[in-house]
Amino acid sequence: MKPVWIVDDDRSIRWVLEKALAREQIAHKSFASAVDALAALDDGEVPQVLLSDIRMPGQSGLELLQHVKSHIPSLPVIIMTAYSDLESAVAAFQGGAFEYLPKPFDVDQALELIRRALDESMHQDGAVEEAGITPEILGQAPAMQEVFRAIGRLAMSHATVLITGESGSGKELVARALHRHSPRADKPFIAINTAAIPKDLLESELFGHERGAFTGAATQRRGRFEQAEGGTLFLDEIGDMPQELQTRLLRVLSDGHYYRVGGHQPLKANVRVIAATHQNLETRVKDGLFREDLFHRLNVIRIRLPALRERREDIPLLARHFLAKSAQDLGVEPKRLSDGAVKFLVSLDFQGNVRQLENLCHWLTVMAPGQLVEVGDLPPELREASPASGAGVVGGWEEALAAEADRLLARSVPDVHGKLSDIFERILIARALAHTGGRRIEAAQALGIGRNTITRKIQELGLEGGKGAAAEEVAE
């Protein structure tokens, strides 16, 4: 490992840091000025981590930081200064500093920061840049693989699609992917959120209007159906569409024709409609809030997008992607999650789904103090949130079941359902028999199954009824 460089014109500061690093057996090298450090860099020497004061005779620490970041962008630089002012902190971070350390500092605090910087540097050294285009939608979970397969099957189709899923789960991404892989890919993709537009304006938004159709209609306006001609029209939150507009949409889907508001000339719609909703449309149909005939027109092919808590194994992958994306957008080095932070995030329910995780990663890119994000760096409201119950809790029995299912499926073991079902029933019945002292009738009642069922299962699964079983059979 390369040494840690200390650049400071204050000899006492260099001495304290040298002793602390030597005690931790961390290789180091000191410089009294930025000029000396730059000369060493020009000679081909490269540190693992650089600590530099800001205000020094000659060139400043910020100038040194600028030079380092232009030549070795992955090198973590910790800026030290006795001038704890806002301008210095902002300048240091804008220049790409790993961390800002005001003087006087606690030696243990400085060592912890250096360790984090070393860890980041080692990670950068070992990282392999992945070439290629970023996938449109990320996901390795089985539920997401089903979504990918559905998109693939629909690649050459013009069929109407209904996408269901919770808010923030990425329904528009799926709609865009369906368009991008369809025969209409070279035509427009037009998206409209039917819940975000007032009812009085929505009809004009969808179908357009003629000049003079209503007060304020000074010119003719093309609606979204016309704008999407030959392409795809994405109707988000379709479940909130007013009933009178549901009738007009049904007519378009039925015969392919519509009228602008105030118009008398029918227009032909050559548009593929993809609709999405976070609501249960079947329930809204039963409640009389959504037309049943329109529901069946939209529900030609349905794609259900899983909530993030149903695909927890994708959280680390998505977090890395969003952290890299935020870093690129802001022009800074990407942050990295510690193992503890990853486990904590996986344990959360994320009611806002993927959108909430993306917003969190953007927050961390701006606000997390170091490159390695620990649990303590997460927003307070997130740290105080209760971990998810059931499958989300690391080490839970449902997670163990999922892991066993994955293992058996990966090995192509036949009858996975049968094998796991037998194990499940064997454990349940064995524990119930142990609880009742081997009395089958009481065990059956505790489990909520019939007496004959438990007797048959005991025989099929090779279980012993235990004490009391014989007496029960005589009583029967």
Side-chain angles (χ1 to χ4, degrees):
M1 185 176 70
K2 298 184 286 288
V4 172
W5 282 11
I6 305 164
V7 185
D8 199 312
D9 62 316
D10 188 329
R11 183 176 180 181
S12 61
I13 293 292
R14 297 199 306 271
W15 184 85
V16 168
L17 289 172
E18 287 169 359
K19 291 298 182 184
L21 291 171
R23 188 172 64 248
E24 297 295 319
Q25 298 183 335
I26 297 174
H28 56 276
K29 186 173 183 178
S30 295
F31 301 88
S33 69
V35 174
D36 294 341
L38 287 170
L41 287 171
D42 291 340
D43 289 340
E45 296 183 55
V46 179
Q48 197 76 41
V49 170
L50 174 65
L51 284 86
S52 175
D53 190 19
I54 282 188
R55 306 196 181 191
M56 296 178 288
Q59 288 183 301
S60 70
L62 292 180
E63 290 175 300
L64 175 60
L65 171 66
Q66 183 179 8
H67 178 89
V68 167
K69 284 299 173 182
S70 64
H71 292 80
I72 318 172
S74 62
L75 175 64
V77 179
I78 300 171
I79 291 295
M80 304 180 292
T81 180
Y83 301 88
S84 302
D85 57 280
L86 178 62
E87 288 76 15
S88 296
V90 170
F93 281 118
Q94 286 182 340
F98 174 79
E99 186 55 280
Y100 173 79
L101 185 63
K103 299 177 183 176
F105 52 79
D106 180 78
V107 175
D108 291 336
Q109 176 192 3
L111 281 174
E112 177 59 27
L113 188 55
I114 291 170
R115 290 192 193 96
R116 291 179 63 177
L118 285 170
D119 182 68
E120 176 64 24
S121 180
M122 297 298 289
H123 174 75
Q124 291 287 349
D125 290 346
V128 177
E129 293 293 328
E130 294 184 4
I133 301 173
T134 302
E136 298 163 294
I137 310 173
L138 295 171
Q140 298 174 344
M144 285 305 296
Q145 295 303 311
E146 284 299 319
V147 173
F148 296 159
R149 277 191 283 272
I151 294 172
R153 293 189 191 103
L154 291 167
M156 300 308 294
S157 172
H158 296 272
T160 302
V161 178
L162 176 63
I163 305 170
T164 61
E166 295 181 5
S167 295
S169 55
K171 296 186 289 294
E172 185 170 340
L173 283 178
V174 173
R176 290 184 180 276
L178 285 167
H179 172 73
R180 210 159 18 236
H181 295 284
S182 76
R184 299 173 179 265
D186 59 339
K187 299 296 182 180
F189 175 90
I190 303 296
I192 180 172
N193 187 326
T194 59
I197 299 174
K199 180 175 66 173
D200 296 339
L201 298 179
L202 184 56
E203 184 177 16
S204 175
E205 281 289 323
L206 284 172
F207 305 110
H209 61 252
E210 298 289 355
R211 179 182 177 183
F214 49 83
T215 303
T219 60
Q220 185 190 78
R221 184 182 187 280
R222 297 169 66 238
R224 300 304 175 96
F225 269 94
E226 284 185 80
Q227 294 171 22
E229 179 65 20
T232 301
L233 178 62
F234 175 54
L235 303 175
D236 199 7
E237 300 303 347
I238 191 71
D240 294 309
M241 176 176 278
Q243 287 197 319
E244 53 268 33
L245 284 181
Q246 293 177 26
T247 303
R248 290 206 61 182
L249 178 60
L250 175 64
R251 183 178 297 277
V252 179
L253 295 177
S254 300
D255 61 22
H257 291 85
Y258 64 95
Y259 293 85
R260 294 194 190 103
V261 176
H264 304 286
Q265 184 68 29
L267 300 175
K268 175 69 174 176
N270 176 21
V271 172
R272 182 192 195 179
V273 173
I274 299 176
T277 181
H278 72 281
Q279 302 189 61
N280 187 319
L281 288 188
E282 287 93 337
T283 300
R284 290 184 70 79
V285 168
K286 290 178 182 177
D287 294 341
L289 299 173
F290 201 84
R291 290 185 61 112
E292 184 175 5
D293 44 5
L294 176 58
F295 168 69
H296 291 303
R297 282 284 180 181
L298 293 171
N299 195 36
V300 177
I301 296 173
R302 185 187 300 208
I303 297 178
R304 179 187 175 274
L305 200 55
L308 188 55
R309 60 182 173 275
E310 299 174 45
R311 44 183 292 221
R312 297 178 189 276
E313 56 266 64
D314 286 339
I315 289 177
L317 174 70
L318 290 166
R320 285 195 300 271
H321 168 71
F322 290 138
L323 286 171
K325 181 174 179 293
S326 293
Q328 184 178 13
D329 292 343
L330 296 172
V332 298
E333 290 294 316
K335 300 290 174 75
R336 186 164 54 88
L337 295 171
S338 69
D339 291 342
V342 170
K343 288 181 179 179
F344 183 82
L345 292 181
V346 169
S347 75
L348 298 178
D349 264 345
F350 282 104
Q351 296 300 323
N353 291 297
V354 178
R355 186 184 297 125
Q356 182 184 357
L357 178 60
E358 182 176 12
N359 292 340
L360 168 65
C361 290
H362 189 76
W363 186 93
L364 290 172
T365 301
V366 176
M367 300 299 294
Q371 292 300 105
L372 183 65
V373 178
E374 303 286 356
V375 174
D377 298 324
L378 299 174
E381 64 273 15
L382 204 65
R383 297 199 306 270
E384 294 166 5
S386 299
S389 59
V393 179
V394 177
W397 72 270
E398 292 184 17
E399 182 176 319
L401 176 62
E404 180 63 8
D406 289 343
R407 186 183 69 82
L408 295 175
L409 291 168
R411 293 171 53 193
S412 299
V413 174
D415 192 21
V416 172
H417 178 272
K419 290 182 183 300
L420 293 181
S421 295
D422 287 349
I423 294 171
F424 180 79
E425 290 185 333
R426 186 180 296 113
I427 292 173
L428 277 182
I429 294 174
R431 299 317 302 160
L433 288 170
H435 176 70
T436 62
R439 291 181 288 276
R440 296 182 184 180
I441 294 178
E442 291 181 23
Q445 291 173 342
L447 293 173
I449 61 177
R451 181 181 60 187
N452 293 336
T453 300
I454 196 170
T455 300
R456 175 170 52 81
K457 287 293 183 181
I458 287 171
Q459 294 173 349
E460 291 175 354
L461 299 172
L463 290 168
E464 292 295 332
K467 65 178 182 178
E472 287 182 9
E473 292 176 35
V474 170
E476 292 171 18

